[in-house]
Amino acid sequence: MMTRLLARVLIPMPLPEPFDYAVPDGVQVQPGDHVIVPLGQRSASGVVWATAPDDGSRTLKPIEMVRGGPRLEQPVRDFIDWTARYLVEPPGIILRSVLRSPAALKPSPVETVYAVTGQPVARMTPARHAVLAALEEGPATAAELARRAGVSASVVKGLAQAGALSAREIEVDPPFQAPDPNRPGLPLTALQEEASRTLRRLVAAGGFQAALIDGVTGSGKTEVYFEAIAELLRREPDAQILVLLPEIALTQSVIKRFSDRFGVEPARWHSGLSDKERRRSWREAASGRARIVMGARSSIFLPLPWLRMIVVDEEHDPTYKQDEMLTYNARDLAVARSKLAGAVSILASATPSLESLVNAEAGRYVHVRLPARVTGSVLPDVELLDLREAPPEKGEWLSEPLVQAVADTLARREQALLYLNRRGFAPLVLCKACGHKMKSPEADRWLVEHRYTGRLVCHTTGFSMPKPKHCPECGAEDSLIGVGPGVERVAEEAVRRFPDARIEVFSSDTAQSGEDVRALVERMESGEIDILVGTQIAAKGHNFPHLTLVGVVDADLGLAGGDLRAGERTYQTLVQAAGRAGRADKPGRALLQTWDPNHQALRALEAGDRDAFLTTERQMRELLKLPPFGRLAALIVSAPDAGLVDEACRAIAKAAPSADGVDVFGPAEPPLGVVRGRWRRRFLVQAEKSVDVSAYMRAWTGRFKTPSSVRVTVDIEPYSFL
Ligand code: ADP
């Protein structure tokens, strides 16, 4: 008798494990196949995780259907299992992050396009003439041709019937073309050549390898990892390569540089894609046809069966860490995924994270240094402006020395960037009559005034309301005033001081789409802007050749607060911001306004002494056994009322297993005590480096039950302590 098979099917839902189903006679399934299975009263789609002989001891419901679509290969399934264990999540949740485009499981839809046959048209009309003229732009669908020619689609069909046009079916989602690794790149500098040789050797060695490209801003890191990609593709034309970039750096300019180097566009993956682009990129990635994917942090979950290299550009960037929904750090997952797939990891940054630097020092990553700029231009001179000595006037934010420096810059017809990492006009709105502060109704956050839109906005939840005419507390009219600066207010001050300058604000409010970002960057590059007032988004990755002055309005912002990485983050941000200056042949200057000029991060910046900064930062972390010298995990508990959350926390605290080398702190009320009507509490677990903190958290979460209204999330290696 033929042995029957059962299939273990993982369903993209928060279920503890795959469920078993009978494989009906005559149906063939393999691990990785997409199937439809019954689940309760409904059907659900899922992926076969394993097959096994069915001994018939249980009555299993049969698989309803095998769906087709690119199979999830073993390395992808291994990554899902590993990630679920590491993040302490059900594997179905990770699978859900992988299956992000259900439409991609079907083959590309087709459409009919028309082209000219050259056959003469017997009965020519103006409408027909317009269609033929429209075809000079190339073949297109009837609808598109009708649009171009301003006629109805029936004219196109008529021409086809008359033999003047031929119809042909094409895929709506065309495959991505294979990149050409043999096109010449830029001639490398000696430093770049040496770095690139090291990386090519890593690629040649094969298997898992990791490298850190540690190079100053403008040192040509991108060109160097392009060479590593080219080397890999020459050796293995079918290899897939994932390039991770912070979302806002994923601009047209990076894609264009890539396309120029390899002759084809890469597949892209980020939150701004249309459903159609998403479907195309996913299908092409999963089938192995897309060799190169450039994407934001969520692309770490793309199914890439032949993955051989992951590049994490700007590896220190905090946006690689997702804090909401599924908490993960795409950089950490990238290294783990490379290890599982036997691929190469390349991390690149001008300001590497302490984690990566320590890995490099310990020899776990090959340390590739690029200490000088490609153009030979010098790094900007960094100077601290002590605000205690030259405080700005009341209600103003730019000190006299900074204003003077901007004036000098403009006089030389060069550009200035005023950097402040605060969106909007004012971070706090209060009533000057009664002192009432406008608070977000859904979170422990102040509402931020946005002057351009006339609204008060919560940057945590997205809540917004028109700025009220009357104080909601005391009713006084026109009494609400914005306190403190945001970029809009700094821009207002700049306009007042430099009425003839062309001034623009660059923040996620003024540049919402990739298109907006590109347009703004282009205006800046071509010298159409004199003063750019910008947040983080302006400080990353752009090359502004005429920018010679960076004024940091508030260098202290970010140093306060209980975040263990506050100093490091400030240092990185300021180096990146300062690094925008003097990229080409003109020397640059960075002026940092501070009330605390003795802070070690600022002192190190001024001295250009990264090692001094890192040494103290390291010592502090080592002493306190903080990452990367110890491990952290957080348990965040939330519930719709305070009593409930405290009661749950008491039970959770009791259930914490005792283990060697593990300390549990909390529950504590975090700074963000209430978000969207939910009360929050946090536990922090600090463990020795050798402890498997994921296993500890799994054991802990297995030892208590909470009511369904209480939500418990685990955050492995938390970055946010709010
Ligand atoms: P980084 O990522 O280190 O800041 P990029 O790779 O973006 O540096 O390079 C900075 C600028 O220098 C870019 O405009 C790039 O096109 C240019 N560049 C890089 N390498 C070379 C080279 N070998 N020759 C000429 N220009 C280069």
Side-chain angles (χ1 to χ4, degrees):
M1 201 182 93
M2 218 173 72
T3 40
R4 296 184 136 245
L5 281 184
L6 62 78
R8 309 223 141 92
V9 176
L10 186 62
I11 297 168
M13 292 182 189
L15 301 165
E17 58 193 0
F19 289 166
D20 290 352
Y21 291 91
V23 179
D25 285 340
V27 171
Q28 299 271 334
V29 289
Q30 284 189 35
D33 280 340
H34 301 270
V35 292
I36 305 269
V37 291
L39 184 71
Q41 299 304 309
R42 295 179 303 138
S43 297
S45 66
V47 175
V48 175
W49 228 239
T51 55
D54 182 0
D55 64 8
S57 60
R58 290 171 301 164
T59 352
L60 297 174
K61 290 189 180 162
I63 287 175
E64 289 173 5
M65 195 180 112
V66 181
R67 293 184 79 186
R71 186 174 285 149
L72 288 192
E73 301 291 347
Q74 178 93 43
V76 179
R77 301 197 308 273
D78 288 347
F79 174 62
I80 292 173
D81 285 333
W82 183 90
T83 305
R85 261 196 314 277
Y86 175 70
L87 296 178
V88 196
E89 292 284 346
I93 289 290
I94 312 300
L95 179 62
R96 189 159 72 187
S97 295
V98 170
L99 301 178
R100 286 296 299 283
S101 178
L105 293 182
K106 299 203 186 78
S108 169
V110 289
E111 62 187 5
T112 308
V113 293
Y114 295 88
V116 187
T117 57
Q119 209 168 300
V121 186
R123 200 172 53 78
M124 187 56 97
T125 62
R128 287 185 161 193
H129 191 78
V131 169
L132 291 176
L135 273 159
E136 279 166 20
E137 282 176 48
T141 61
E144 169 62 15
L145 286 172
R147 192 192 60 77
R148 284 186 202 161
V151 301
S152 86
S154 61
V155 181
V156 179
K157 306 259 165 74
L159 276 170
Q161 271 160 18
L165 301 184
S166 63
R168 173 166 63 93
E169 299 225 307
I170 61 156
E171 291 188 336
V172 175
D173 309 337
F176 288 98
Q177 301 303 312
D180 176 1
N182 293 319
R183 288 164 64 98
L186 293 170
L188 299 184
T189 64
L191 277 173
Q192 281 177 310
E193 186 50 50
E194 195 185 318
S196 133
R197 206 174 317 125
T198 307
L199 293 182
R200 290 201 307 264
R201 262 205 307 273
L202 278 193
V203 169
F208 169 68
Q209 309 270 348
L212 172 66
I213 311 181
D214 177 1
V216 296
T217 51
S219 59
K221 296 183 284 296
T222 315
E223 296 303 320
V224 170
Y225 72 68
F226 277 2
E227 287 306 312
I229 293 175
E231 176 71 16
L232 174 59
L233 288 170
R234 280 191 287 266
R235 291 174 173 272
E236 251 183 284
D238 289 336
Q240 289 184 298
I241 295 135
L242 175 62
V243 180
L244 294 179
L245 292 157
E247 179 113 16
I248 60 170
L250 257 177
T251 52
Q252 217 51 40
S253 65
V254 185
I255 307 280
K256 182 167 179 317
R257 272 175 77 177
F258 180 85
S259 311
D260 289 347
R261 175 68 176 79
F262 292 98
V264 297
E265 59 164 333
R268 289 174 308 150
W269 189 263
H270 57 83
S271 63
L273 289 187
S274 68
D275 285 349
K276 187 174 152 190
E277 291 169 304
R278 187 168 286 275
R279 176 181 82 195
R280 177 183 178 211
S281 288
W282 197 95
R283 186 190 302 110
E284 291 289 305
S287 66
R289 265 192 311 255
R291 308 289 157 59
I292 310 213
V293 180
M294 296 185 109
R297 67 180 176 214
S298 64
S299 50
I300 192 60
F301 292 114
L302 279 173
L304 295 158
W306 319 125
L307 184 65
R308 289 289 173 271
M309 180 185 289
I310 307 181
V311 177
V312 186
D313 203 350
E314 312 280 5
E315 69 87 29
H316 67 281
D317 198 287
T319 61
Y320 281 124
K321 174 80 187 191
Q322 173 161 302
D323 287 323
E324 290 217 325
M325 314 290 289
L326 183 65
T327 60
Y328 65 91
N329 185 328
R331 186 221 25 231
D332 296 350
L333 294 189
V335 176
R337 188 169 182 181
S338 299
K339 215 179 263 179
L340 286 168
V344 176
S345 278
I346 298 178
L347 313 181
S349 173
T351 50
S353 60
L354 199 58
E355 279 83 352
S356 297
L357 280 170
V358 168
N359 277 326
E361 278 166 25
R364 286 186 288 272
Y365 299 170
V366 175
H367 200 167
V368 181
R369 288 186 183 81
L370 287 170
R373 287 182 159 183
V374 172
T375 52
S377 64
V378 287
L379 284 162
D381 230 7
V382 178
E383 242 174 87
L384 301 182
L385 292 181
D386 186 345
L387 291 179
R388 296 170 309 184
E389 284 171 15
E393 296 289 314
K394 196 167 161 12
E396 298 195 328
W397 314 99
L398 305 178
S399 65
E400 223 28 65
L402 181 53
V403 171
Q404 195 50 52
V406 173
D408 295 345
T409 306
L410 297 185
R412 283 195 307 271
R413 310 196 142 274
E414 293 168 357
Q415 295 168 313
L417 166 68
L418 294 177
Y419 172 81
L420 176 66
N421 197 23
R422 250 197 201 140
R423 292 160 52 202
F425 181 81
L428 173 68
V429 178
L430 60 74
C431 170
K432 60 183 181 213
C434 73
H436 174 70
K437 294 179 184 140
M438 296 295 290
K439 221 183 109 186
S440 170
E442 302 172 307
D444 283 342
R445 279 293 196 239
W446 307 124
L447 290 176
V448 176
E449 179 176 5
H450 284 238
R451 190 80 32 117
Y452 295 161
T453 54
R455 298 183 78 83
L456 306 185
V457 181
C458 173
H459 288 176
T460 302
T461 64
F463 166 88
S464 85
M465 64 187 275
K467 185 179 176 188
K469 180 127 186 79
H470 299 271
C471 168
E473 189 67 19
C474 71
E477 192 172 339
D478 291 330
S479 66
L480 293 174
I481 51 163
V483 180
V487 273
E488 292 177 9
R489 182 170 245 174
V490 171
E492 206 177 84
E493 186 177 339
V495 168
R496 219 167 38 240
R497 292 185 182 261
F498 304 102
D500 298 328
R502 295 160 301 172
I503 298 173
E504 289 200 42
V505 171
F506 192 5
S507 76
S508 55
D509 299 302
T510 62
Q512 295 190 336
S513 67
E515 190 53 35
D516 295 340
V517 171
R518 192 170 62 89
L520 222 152
V521 167
E522 260 174 29
R523 283 204 295 287
M524 187 68 188
E525 282 172 352
S526 63
E528 288 168 48
I529 299 173
D530 299 314
I531 304 176
L532 189 64
V533 185
T535 59
Q536 287 274 16
I537 188 170
K540 287 189 183 165
H542 313 294
N543 291 303
F544 298 134
H546 313 293
L547 176 71
T548 55
L549 175 69
V550 172
V552 176
V553 177
D554 185 353
D556 308 329
L557 194 68
L559 284 174
D563 184 342
L564 78 102
R565 292 182 181 83
E568 185 187 10
R569 189 83 43 87
T570 301
Y571 184 83
Q572 289 165 341
T573 308
L574 297 180
V575 170
Q576 297 284 346
R580 295 312 112 210
R583 299 269 296 186
D585 45 353
K586 300 174 185 147
R589 255 177 110 189
L591 298 178
L592 278 50
Q593 298 197 132
T594 173
W595 294 97
D596 188 8
N598 290 319
H599 193 286
Q600 52 121 341
L602 300 183
R603 290 272 291 274
L605 256 175
E606 183 173 46
D609 190 349
R610 184 176 85 176
D611 290 346
F613 171 73
L614 288 171
T615 307
T616 24
E617 189 68 21
R618 265 188 84 115
Q619 279 168 349
M620 185 271 288
R621 301 253 195 112
E622 218 163 351
L623 204 67
L624 300 176
K625 296 237 172 65
L626 288 170
F629 306 102
R631 296 186 193 281
L632 292 180
L635 195 76
I636 300 128
V637 188
S638 74
D641 81 69
L644 203 57
V645 80
D646 286 331
E647 193 184 311
C649 282
R650 276 192 293 277
I652 292 172
K654 265 207 214 96
S658 61
D660 279 350
V662 180
D663 288 317
V664 178
F665 303 101
E669 192 176 331
L672 267 176
V674 186
V675 176
R676 294 189 185 95
R678 296 186 71 85
W679 268 254
R680 303 168 76 246
R681 300 288 181 267
R682 295 178 68 97
F683 290 89
L684 187 67
V685 173
Q686 185 171 10
E688 309 233 335
K689 182 102 186 146
S690 58
V691 170
D692 179 347
V693 75
S694 301
Y696 179 86
M697 298 306 279
R698 182 171 302 280
W700 187 4
T701 51
R703 287 170 61 156
F704 59 82
K705 277 263 174 295
T706 49
S708 61
S709 60
V710 174
R711 206 178 295 149
V712 176
T713 37
V714 172
D715 186 356
I716 297 291
E717 298 297 352
Y719 271 48
S720 164
F721 298 86
L722 293 177

Coordinates of all heavy atoms in Angstrom, one line a residue, residues 185-189 192 213 215-225 257 313-314 348-350 370 374-375 541-543 576 580 583, ligand 1:
G185 N 33.2 50.6 -13.7 CA 32.7 51.6 -12.6 C 33.6 52.8 -12.7 O 34.4 53.0 -13.7
L186 N 33.5 53.6 -11.7 CA 34.4 54.8 -11.6 C 35.8 54.3 -11.4 O 36.0 53.3 -10.7 CB 34.0 55.7 -10.5 CG 32.7 56.4 -10.6 CD1 32.3 57.1 -9.3 CD2 32.8 57.5 -11.7
P187 N 36.9 54.9 -11.9 CA 38.2 54.5 -11.6 C 38.4 54.7 -10.1 O 38.2 55.9 -9.6 CB 39.1 55.4 -12.4 CG 38.3 56.5 -13.0 CD 36.8 56.1 -12.8
L188 N 38.8 53.7 -9.4 CA 38.8 53.8 -7.9 C 40.1 54.5 -7.5 O 41.2 54.4 -8.1 CB 38.8 52.4 -7.3 CG 37.5 51.6 -7.5 CD1 37.6 50.3 -6.8 CD2 36.3 52.3 -7.2
T189 N 40.0 55.2 -6.3 CA 41.2 55.7 -5.7 C 42.0 54.6 -5.1 O 41.5 53.5 -5.0 CB 40.9 56.7 -4.6 OG1 40.2 56.0 -3.6 CG2 39.9 57.8 -5.1
Q192 N 40.2 53.2 -2.1 CA 39.1 52.4 -2.5 C 39.5 51.0 -3.1 O 38.9 50.0 -2.9 CB 38.2 53.1 -3.6 CG 37.4 54.2 -3.0 CD 36.7 55.0 -4.1 OE1 37.3 55.4 -5.1 NE2 35.4 55.2 -4.0
I213 N 32.6 48.3 6.4 CA 33.3 49.4 5.7 C 33.1 50.6 6.6 O 32.0 51.1 6.7 CB 32.7 49.7 4.3 CG1 32.6 48.4 3.5 CG2 33.6 50.7 3.6 CD1 32.0 48.6 2.1
G215 N 34.1 54.1 6.8 CA 34.8 55.2 6.0 C 34.1 56.5 6.2 O 32.9 56.6 6.3
V216 N 34.9 57.6 6.2 CA 34.3 58.9 6.5 C 33.3 59.3 5.4 O 33.3 58.7 4.3 CB 35.5 60.0 6.5 CG1 36.4 59.7 7.7 CG2 36.2 60.0 5.2
T217 N 32.5 60.3 5.7 CA 31.5 60.7 4.7 C 32.2 61.1 3.4 O 33.2 61.9 3.5 CB 30.7 61.9 5.2 OG1 31.6 62.9 5.7 CG2 29.8 61.5 6.4
G218 N 31.7 60.6 2.3 CA 32.3 61.0 1.0 C 33.5 60.2 0.6 O 34.3 60.6 -0.3
S219 N 33.8 59.1 1.3 CA 35.0 58.3 1.0 C 34.7 57.3 -0.1 O 35.6 56.6 -0.5 CB 35.4 57.6 2.3 OG 34.4 56.7 2.8
G220 N 33.5 57.3 -0.6 CA 33.2 56.4 -1.7 C 32.9 55.0 -1.3 O 33.3 54.0 -2.0
K221 N 32.2 54.8 -0.2 CA 31.9 53.5 0.3 C 31.0 52.7 -0.7 O 31.1 51.5 -1.0 CB 31.2 53.6 1.6 CG 32.0 54.1 2.7 CD 31.4 54.1 4.1 CE 30.3 55.2 4.2 NZ 30.9 56.6 4.2
T222 N 30.0 53.5 -1.3 CA 29.1 52.9 -2.3 C 29.8 52.2 -3.4 O 29.5 51.1 -3.8 CB 28.1 53.9 -2.8 OG1 27.7 54.7 -1.7 CG2 26.9 53.3 -3.4
E223 N 30.8 52.9 -4.0 CA 31.5 52.4 -5.1 C 32.2 51.1 -4.7 O 32.3 50.2 -5.5 CB 32.6 53.4 -5.6 CG 32.1 54.6 -6.2 CD 31.1 54.4 -7.4 OE1 31.4 53.5 -8.2 OE2 30.1 55.1 -7.4
V224 N 32.7 51.1 -3.5 CA 33.5 49.9 -3.0 C 32.5 48.7 -2.9 O 32.9 47.6 -3.3 CB 34.2 50.3 -1.7 CG1 34.7 49.0 -1.0 CG2 35.3 51.3 -1.9
Y225 N 31.3 48.9 -2.3 CA 30.5 47.7 -2.2 C 29.9 47.3 -3.6 O 29.6 46.2 -3.9 CB 29.5 47.8 -1.1 CG 28.3 48.7 -1.1 CD1 27.3 48.5 -2.1 CD2 28.2 49.7 -0.2 CE1 26.2 49.3 -2.1 CE2 27.1 50.5 -0.2 CZ 26.1 50.3 -1.2 OH 25.0 51.2 -1.1
R257 N 22.6 55.6 -9.5 CA 24.0 55.2 -9.5 C 24.1 53.7 -9.7 O 25.0 53.3 -10.4 CB 24.6 55.5 -8.1 CG 25.1 56.9 -8.1 CD 25.6 57.3 -6.7 NE 26.9 56.7 -6.4 CZ 27.5 56.9 -5.2 NH1 27.0 57.7 -4.3 NH2 28.7 56.3 -5.0
D313 N 23.7 49.5 4.2 CA 24.4 50.8 4.1 C 23.9 51.7 5.3 O 22.7 51.6 5.7 CB 24.0 51.5 2.7 CG 25.0 52.5 2.3 OD1 25.9 52.9 3.1 OD2 24.9 53.0 1.2
E314 N 24.7 52.6 5.8 CA 24.4 53.4 7.0 C 24.0 52.4 8.1 O 22.9 52.6 8.7 CB 23.3 54.4 6.7 CG 23.4 55.2 5.4 CD 24.4 56.4 5.5 OE1 25.0 56.5 6.6 OE2 24.5 57.1 4.5
A348 N 28.1 49.1 6.1 CA 28.9 50.3 5.8 C 28.4 51.5 6.6 O 27.2 51.7 6.8 CB 28.8 50.6 4.3
S349 N 29.3 52.4 7.0 CA 28.9 53.6 7.7 C 30.1 54.5 7.9 O 31.2 54.1 8.0 CB 28.3 53.2 9.1 OG 28.1 54.4 9.8
A350 N 29.8 55.8 8.0 CA 30.8 56.8 8.4 C 30.9 56.8 9.9 O 31.9 57.3 10.5 CB 30.5 58.1 7.9
L370 N 38.2 53.4 5.3 CA 38.4 54.4 4.2 C 38.5 55.8 4.9 O 37.5 56.5 5.1 CB 37.2 54.4 3.3 CG 37.1 53.3 2.3 CD1 35.7 53.3 1.6 CD2 38.2 53.3 1.2
V374 N 37.1 60.8 -1.3 CA 37.5 60.5 -2.6 C 38.1 61.7 -3.3 O 39.2 61.6 -4.0 CB 36.3 60.1 -3.5 CG1 36.6 60.0 -4.9 CG2 35.7 58.8 -2.9
T375 N 37.5 62.9 -3.1 CA 38.0 64.1 -3.8 C 39.2 64.7 -3.1 O 39.7 65.7 -3.6 CB 36.9 65.1 -3.7 OG1 36.5 65.3 -2.3 CG2 35.7 64.7 -4.5
G541 N 23.3 61.1 3.6 CA 23.6 60.5 2.3 C 23.6 61.5 1.1 O 24.1 61.1 0.0
H542 N 23.2 62.7 1.2 CA 23.2 63.6 0.0 C 24.5 64.2 -0.2 O 25.3 64.4 0.7 CB 22.2 64.7 0.2 CG 20.8 64.3 0.6 ND1 20.0 63.4 -0.1 CD2 20.2 64.5 1.8 CE1 18.9 63.2 0.6 NE2 19.0 63.8 1.8
N543 N 24.8 64.5 -1.5 CA 26.0 65.2 -1.9 C 25.7 66.5 -2.4 O 25.1 66.7 -3.5 CB 26.8 64.4 -3.0 CG 27.3 63.1 -2.6 OD1 28.1 63.1 -1.6 ND2 26.9 62.1 -3.2
Q576 N 27.1 63.0 10.7 CA 26.4 62.9 9.4 C 26.0 64.3 8.9 O 26.2 64.6 7.7 CB 25.2 62.0 9.5 CG 25.5 60.6 9.8 CD 26.0 59.8 8.7 OE1 26.0 60.2 7.5 NE2 26.6 58.6 9.0
R580 N 27.8 66.8 5.6 CA 27.2 67.3 4.3 C 28.0 68.5 3.8 O 27.8 68.9 2.7 CB 25.8 67.9 4.6 CG 24.7 66.8 5.0 CD 24.7 65.6 4.1 NE 25.2 64.5 4.9 CZ 25.8 63.5 4.4 NH1 26.1 63.4 3.1 NH2 26.2 62.5 5.2
R583 N 31.6 68.9 0.5 CA 31.8 67.6 -0.1 C 32.7 67.7 -1.4 O 33.4 66.8 -1.7 CB 30.4 67.0 -0.5 CG 29.5 66.8 0.7 CD 29.6 65.5 1.3 NE 29.2 64.4 0.4 CZ 29.1 63.2 0.7 NH1 29.4 62.8 2.0 NH2 28.7 62.3 -0.1
Ligands
ADP1 P1 30.1 57.6 0.9 O1 29.0 56.6 0.8 O2 31.3 57.1 1.5 O3 29.6 58.9 1.5 P2 29.9 57.7 -2.0 O4 30.1 56.4 -2.4 O5 28.5 58.2 -1.9 O6 30.5 58.0 -0.6 O7 30.7 58.7 -2.8 C1 30.7 60.1 -2.6 C2 30.8 60.9 -4.0 O8 32.1 60.6 -4.6 C3 29.8 60.4 -4.9 O9 29.3 61.5 -5.6 C4 30.5 59.5 -5.8 O10 29.9 59.4 -7.1 C5 31.9 60.0 -5.9 N1 32.9 59.0 -6.1 C6 33.0 57.9 -5.4 N2 34.1 57.2 -5.8 C7 34.7 57.9 -6.8 C8 35.8 57.8 -7.6 N3 36.6 56.7 -7.5 N4 36.1 58.7 -8.5 C9 35.3 59.8 -8.6 N5 34.2 60.0 -7.9 C10 33.9 59.1 -6.9

